[in-house]
Amino acid sequence: MRDYTTKLTELQRSHQAAVAKANEYTNPDLSAEGIDKRRAELIAKAGEDHKAKLDHLAREFKDEATETKRVAAAAIPTPAGDTSQAWGRAKMLLEAGQTLQQIVAKADPALLHAVTEWGPTYLEAEAYKGRSDGFAPVAVDAAPLQRSIRQRWTQVLDGFAPGRIERGAEAEAVEAEFQVTAQHFAARLDGIHVGADDLTAAIEARLAGQRAGAGLAKEGDAA
């Protein structure tokens, strides 16, 4: 999947080169006004060409990322039955002071299914603790938990499943990074001022990819 971010970077560089070449255009048979007009036309043409290429690349990437994530999800087995008994084990560990991260890190398949089903509700319940207004909604991001669970599945499964799950996780992270960069580039091609230069956008894209690949924080990690 990383080759798509490489292709996107190459497309940005191609556009920069086309714009630079357009700005260098000159013609002794044209007036200064005529040269400026021709340069503007060349820049607009470069934008149109690269917008079409960006749209095509984005569609290709979306199709492949969607299929990769589907295959990854299918590699995880479905629970054999009710998960409440296994969640009871998890609750005892939580009450004894274990964290969800610690539980997931050594979970067997039954416990992984239980945490998948009940873990988000547990996180929501924990978020309500200590609040003066218990009716106010809380925002709980269960994605890091689900990513940690998927990572554990790669350790307890065999065959082709671990590789498929890992490729699905990579697709999610690359997708987050790709989208930030592609949106910034598309805005520039459309002549929209986005308030961020290319370097800032690149940093934001990298951070988005890191967030999309992060699991539960380990005890002692910085918040």
Side-chain angles (χ1 to χ4, degrees), residues 2-50:
R2 284 287 172 191
D3 59 327
Y4 281 96
T5 57
T6 300
K7 291 177 181 178
L8 181 55
T9 299
E10 291 173 349
L11 192 60
Q12 289 177 295
R13 290 173 178 167
S14 172
H15 178 252
Q16 291 171 351
V19 170
K21 183 177 180 179
N23 282 322
E24 293 172 356
Y25 174 83
T26 188
N27 188 328
D29 296 329
L30 294 177
S31 64
E33 182 180 352
I35 291 175
D36 287 343
K37 181 179 179 182
R38 182 55 181 159
R39 287 177 177 177
E41 291 171 348
L42 291 171
I43 291 173
K45 182 64 166 55
E48 292 172 1
D49 291 345
H50 285 79

Side-chain angles (χ1 to χ4, degrees), residues 76-154:
I76 297 175
T78 57
D82 181 64
T83 62
S84 58
Q85 185 174 354
W87 177 246
R89 285 198 289 138
K91 282 184 64 178
M92 286 189 287
L93 292 171
L94 290 166
E95 290 167 359
Q98 292 277 292
T99 65
L100 273 180
Q101 190 278 332
Q102 291 170 324
I103 292 171
V104 170
K106 57 186 180 184
D108 58 19
L111 201 52
L112 286 174
H113 284 307
V115 177
T116 298
E117 182 173 354
W118 300 96
T121 302
Y122 169 79
L123 291 174
E124 184 178 0
E126 287 294 294
Y128 275 110
K129 287 184 177 179
R131 292 169 57 96
S132 58
D133 184 1
F135 294 100
V138 296
V140 175
D141 182 11
L145 169 62
Q146 303 299 348
R147 287 191 284 266
S148 290
I149 292 171
R150 287 201 308 255
Q151 176 59 32
R152 179 57 180 166
W153 276 118
T154 68

